Amino acid sequence: MNVKKMMDYFRGTPRNTASLAKERLQIIVSHERVATREGGVDFLPQLEQELLDVISKYMTIDREQVKVHLARDGDLSILELNVTLPDKAKTPAV
Amino acid sequence: MNVKKMMDYFRGTPRNTASLAKERLQIIVSHERVATREGGVDFLPQLEQELLDVISKYMTIDREQVKVHLARDGDLSILELNVTLPDKAKTPAV
């Protein structure tokens, strides 16, 4: 994927006024299955909690500030997590 | 983010001929820090292994088939993992 296009894409993500000065984290998982293959189970819904657990090791996440969106279109599934970080994020332990 | 735009975006990701019939997984983490705040440490490089560990619970991942890209532009960091899944993926244990 073109890096510049990706940067433009994420910078161009709409945000509301309240979050303008907020630190933000966005996680997108896209899973494209092969339609002809059996057993292509969609596991993205299960990932939400696990991804947040991983991120929580590095930052304090307010679960109320996490917006989750799951979209499906044929053999393509996309899980999107949008996290607005609290003003006082903990210092990463790394 | 507009769902249709996102679908088009991920479907439009270039892929080589060999991966045409392959199952694919793409993980993108974008972290937008607040430039004026101190302590905005970039932890995305540490996430690579942890994200793959989470995914490995659901699918068999060939680590040689994982392409990692980390991009930075000012206060925006983006970690991108592109995974081409082996033909014989294990059945998710869920």
Side-chain angles (χ1 to χ4, degrees):
Chain A
M1 189 179 295
N2 181 286
V3 174
K4 189 180 178 307
K5 268 181 71 178
M6 191 188 292
M7 289 288 180
D8 291 344
Y9 182 80
F10 283 99
R11 285 210 188 281
T13 304
R15 46 165 91 183
N16 59 46
T17 311
S19 70
L20 258 179
K22 296 282 187 183
E23 190 160 353
R24 296 189 312 154
L25 196 71
Q26 186 172 42
I27 306 171
I28 298 176
V29 184
S30 96
H31 182 200
E32 188 162 6
R33 282 164 289 171
V34 178
T36 52
R37 202 183 77 180
E38 289 182 19
V41 176
D42 183 7
F43 61 93
L44 294 196
Q46 276 94 9
L47 282 187
E48 176 189 340
Q49 188 59 48
E50 299 198 60
L51 292 175
L52 291 176
D53 287 346
V54 167
I55 300 296
S56 294
K57 295 181 188 175
Y58 300 96
M59 317 207 81
T60 302
I61 293 179
D62 178 356
R63 300 287 167 132
E64 291 183 5
Q65 296 299 314
V66 179
K67 293 202 175 74
V68 183
H69 190 76
L70 183 66
R72 288 193 189 93
D73 181 17
D75 53 353
L76 179 65
S77 297
I78 298 177
L79 173 71
E80 178 190 6
L81 302 182
N82 283 292
V83 185
T84 303
L85 297 163
D87 290 331
K88 276 197 172 187
K90 74 179 172 189
T91 307
V94 287
Chain B
M1 190 180 294
N2 181 285
V3 174
K4 188 177 179 310
K5 269 180 70 177
M6 191 187 293
M7 289 287 179
D8 291 343
Y9 182 78
F10 282 99
R11 285 209 189 280
T13 302
R15 47 166 90 185
N16 59 45
T17 312
S19 71
L20 257 180
K22 296 281 187 182
E23 189 159 354
R24 295 187 315 153
L25 196 71
Q26 185 173 43
I27 308 171
I28 298 177
V29 184
S30 94
H31 181 199
E32 188 162 7
R33 283 165 288 171
V34 179
T36 52
R37 201 183 77 179
E38 289 181 22
V41 177
D42 182 8
F43 62 93
L44 294 197
Q46 276 93 12
L47 282 187
E48 176 190 340
Q49 187 59 48
E50 299 198 61
L51 293 176
L52 290 175
D53 287 345
V54 167
I55 301 296
S56 295
K57 294 180 187 175
Y58 301 95
M59 317 207 83
T60 302
I61 293 179
D62 178 356
R63 299 288 166 130
E64 290 182 4
Q65 296 299 315
V66 179
K67 293 202 175 72
V68 182
H69 189 77
L70 183 66
R72 289 193 188 92
D73 181 18
D75 54 353
L76 178 65
S77 297
I78 297 177
L79 173 71
E80 179 190 5
L81 302 182
N82 283 292
V83 186
T84 303
L85 297 162
D87 291 330
K88 277 198 169 186
K90 73 180 173 191
T91 307
V94 288

